[in-house]
Amino acid sequence: MPGAGQVSRRRRRRIVPAAVLCGVVAVGTLALVAATDVRASTAGGAAAAFTPRDGTAGWSQMPGGVAQHEHRRAPGLSALFALPETAYEIAVGGYPADAVSVPHWGVYSGPEAGRAGGIPRELFSVGGDGIRQIAAIGFPTDSVFVPGLLVLPADVERGAEWSSEGDSVWAGLGADGMPFSALYAYSADSTAREPEDPALAPYAEDGCLETASTLTLTPDEGDDLIYRQTSLWCPGEGVVASTGAVDGFEPVTISHAEEPHVAIQLGGRVPSWQHPEHWDAAPVAARLADSVWGDTAFTTTPALNPVMVGSRLAVADANSADLNLFEEDAQGLFVARMLGPGGDVTAMGSQGEVLIVATSRRDLIAYTARGDRVWTRSTPDLVVTAPLAGGANCFVVAGLDGSVRLVDAATGEDRWVADVSADGLETLAVSGSLAVAGDRVGSLAAVDLTDGSVVWTGADDWKADALAADAESIFVARDDGIERLDPVTGATLWKTGVGTGLDDLAIVGDLVVAQTWEDLVAMSAEDGGIRWRAPRATAMTSDGTSLVAAGGSSIRLIGSDGTDAATWPVPAESLGSYRYLTAATNAVWMLDGKAGIVKVGR
């Protein structure tokens, strides 16, 4: 029985001539790729052994160039939210009511794999009957299958035969640049065998098998379209090579490619804000923009504070675990790239055009602002504090294994590793040529960035809840007070109590500002004297000269005397939720736990 969103055979109609589809159908159905890091899943029977593990990346030679692909594993129908709304509504109708928890495998691809105005991604279900292709979106020709097209049965083995049928929607951009779509009944017959196709043989390894499939698309009127495809599946890698064509057209071959060298561009800090007292504020809509399917409203709930990488806003989504790169245009924010680092993002930091992401899989991944994966490496334990710029072409990383390491931004290799704690590092700051890290039980350690030597250590009964530093000072928030430390010796230069717990610190001109549980407190960086107190905020950010804070029903620009130099209202829908503030060039972005986005700036 078709579901509510399923394409009914009785209602199926031809929307465009079949000839429009023939020239471009091949690429969209060949977008499976190899992965370089493998670990088989347990869902989907024997077929699951051929799926890549969550977070792995691979590259393939596409007609548009070498394209990167990242693999995501997600439970339940929430995986379909990565599709445009219309494609989602079509696809979800192919699921029975008891399929809400079926695992999914997604493939997010780079722009070389796609068409203009689309983000290339594929979605597969990994269920009891095997692996089904649900949709391929953002390619020269997109497709949605209802129910999903069975590409590998759960009991697949050499000699196996299987078939699949249902309805399908095909869409893309025609030669005139206008979108087209068509509805077809589909039927597919497939076999699995030892690798034998000479075009795929160079990529075959032990354990790989080859599938030969014939997909027939039947319109209500006119001739069938016959598409024939041969694919090489390898354990833990997906499809490493494929060749196929619509009858009457030249075949298209897509194959595994070696990881290309990706150049990186590091840069400095966010430029100073210009006259923030004249800024405006407005809610901003986020969307999935697609030249074929139209725009879809896109909601995102940040898992941790977003960061700017180049001109893009990087947001780790708490619900999908995807990492989305947003770009601004006249209509608001649109998703410029979907990334699948794997697991949950536990920390991220940026420097210029490079983004460093730590995940719950204990991976550290570098991306460019474009979204290209530069490298992936493992860490001994989780990293929960943001990686920071640490000298020329390097990032400083502190982990729960108790180590501080200087990581080469271009290669991911360690320049040095300093083991400074047995109790896990949760805070990190950089002061001149020193990295200062705090652990869970109150110890601090300063490490020389040039060689990794430990310069000094110190202990306290209370752990550091937050650190802030500049070239002359290190500020530590502990329990209900702030300390200023000498970077050279670690000696306490002053200590000021603020009377309550602390969440964050910011250096603003000659002040250090503490975000406490009750208010904002500004102290003289020189002597610790309290200069002013301001109403409570739940988030704050600074460019080093000005301070912007969010609390209650407003976002505030706080002057040097603690009074509000400007205020902007927070939408009523955002009240009562947590908030993050991210500093950008001449702007601040506020994202909250209810998927609200506000831009304050120009």
Side-chain angles (χ1 to χ4, degrees), residues 379-433:
T379 55
D381 207 334
L382 296 177
V383 173
V384 297
T385 185
L388 301 176
N393 303 324
C394 290
F395 281 83
V396 185
V397 179
L400 292 185
D401 65 317
S403 70
V404 178
R405 60 188 68 233
L406 191 68
V407 178
D408 189 299
T411 65
E413 297 177 352
D414 291 331
R415 296 281 185 90
W416 50 255
V417 179
D419 294 316
V420 299
S421 173
D423 294 294
L425 301 175
E426 295 183 334
T427 52
L428 179 67
V430 171
S431 175
S433 62

Side-chain angles (χ1 to χ4, degrees), residues 75-88:
L77 298 183
S78 62
L80 275 65
F81 295 159
L83 303 178
E85 183 177 8
T86 303
Y88 166 84

Side-chain angles (χ1 to χ4, degrees), residues 2-35:
Q6 184 168 336
V7 179
S8 167
R9 289 181 183 274
R10 291 187 296 275
R11 293 185 287 112
R12 188 179 64 253
R13 62 189 177 88
R14 179 96 156 270
I15 299 178
V16 294
V20 177
L21 183 65
C22 292
V24 291
V25 65
V27 175
T29 56
L30 287 174
L32 299 181
V33 297

Side-chain angles (χ1 to χ4, degrees), residues 138-375:
F139 296 95
T141 298
D142 295 351
S143 56
V144 181
F145 295 96
V146 184
L149 173 66
L150 187 64
V151 292
L152 276 187
D155 58 353
V156 67
E157 61 181 0
R158 288 156 185 78
E161 299 181 355
W162 65 95
S163 61
S164 183
E165 65 177 13
D167 294 287
S168 60
V169 176
W170 297 79
L173 294 176
D176 59 358
M178 298 299 294
F180 67 84
S181 62
L183 306 180
Y184 294 91
Y186 81 83
S187 61
D189 295 297
S190 305
T191 61
R193 64 196 185 197
E194 284 288 339
E196 62 180 50
D197 191 307
L200 310 183
Y203 310 101
E205 298 176 350
D206 291 344
C208 297
L209 61 79
E210 192 173 276
T211 60
S213 302
T214 300
L215 174 66
T216 301
L217 302 177
T218 303
D220 279 344
E221 299 177 358
D223 298 332
D224 290 349
L225 294 175
I226 310 296
Y227 177 69
R228 306 179 196 278
Q229 177 174 312
T230 303
S231 301
L232 182 67
W233 292 79
C234 293
E237 297 186 77
V239 173
V240 300
S242 292
T243 185
V246 175
D247 281 0
F249 288 81
E250 291 296 316
V252 175
T253 298
I254 294 174
S255 59
H256 169 73
E258 294 301 317
E259 179 178 352
H261 171 73
V262 179
I264 64 170
Q265 182 177 346
L266 298 173
R269 63 185 307 281
V270 175
S272 298
W273 298 329
Q274 301 298 314
H275 302 292
E277 67 275 10
H278 299 310
W279 286 352
D280 296 317
V284 174
R287 71 191 194 280
L288 278 174
D290 195 289
S291 57
V292 170
W293 298 90
D295 289 353
T296 298
F298 190 84
T299 59
T300 184
T301 304
L304 67 168
N305 211 114
V307 302
M308 296 299 302
V309 52
S311 62
R312 289 179 168 178
L313 182 66
V315 182
D317 193 274
N319 296 319
S320 68
D322 290 342
L323 177 62
N324 297 307
L325 300 183
F326 290 90
E327 197 164 307
E328 186 180 14
D329 64 7
Q331 300 178 55
L333 289 175
F334 66 92
V335 181
R337 188 80 177 260
M338 289 181 169
L339 300 172
D344 294 314
V345 175
T346 58
M348 58 182 179
S350 65
Q351 182 183 174
E353 300 282 325
V354 179
L355 176 69
I356 303 293
V357 175
T359 77
S360 59
R361 299 191 63 87
R362 294 178 172 84
D363 284 334
L364 204 62
I365 304 168
Y367 292 100
T368 66
R370 183 178 178 268
D372 297 324
R373 189 182 287 213
V374 183
W375 47 258

Side-chain angles (χ1 to χ4, degrees), residues 418-493:
D419 294 316
V420 299
S421 173
D423 294 294
L425 301 175
E426 295 183 334
T427 52
L428 179 67
V430 171
S431 175
S433 62
L434 296 179
V436 181
D439 68 17
R440 291 185 265 206
V441 298
S443 295
L444 290 176
V447 182
D448 192 318
L449 287 172
T450 58
D451 59 11
S453 59
V454 177
V455 178
W456 53 259
T457 60
D460 195 278
D461 293 336
W462 296 92
K463 73 171 186 175
D465 295 306
L467 296 175
D470 58 20
E472 292 79 31
S473 305
I474 300 165
F475 300 97
V476 185
R478 300 183 194 266
D479 187 24
D480 63 354
I482 309 298
E483 299 174 54
R484 178 189 174 192
L485 306 184
D486 184 325
V488 177
T489 65
T492 299
L493 300 178

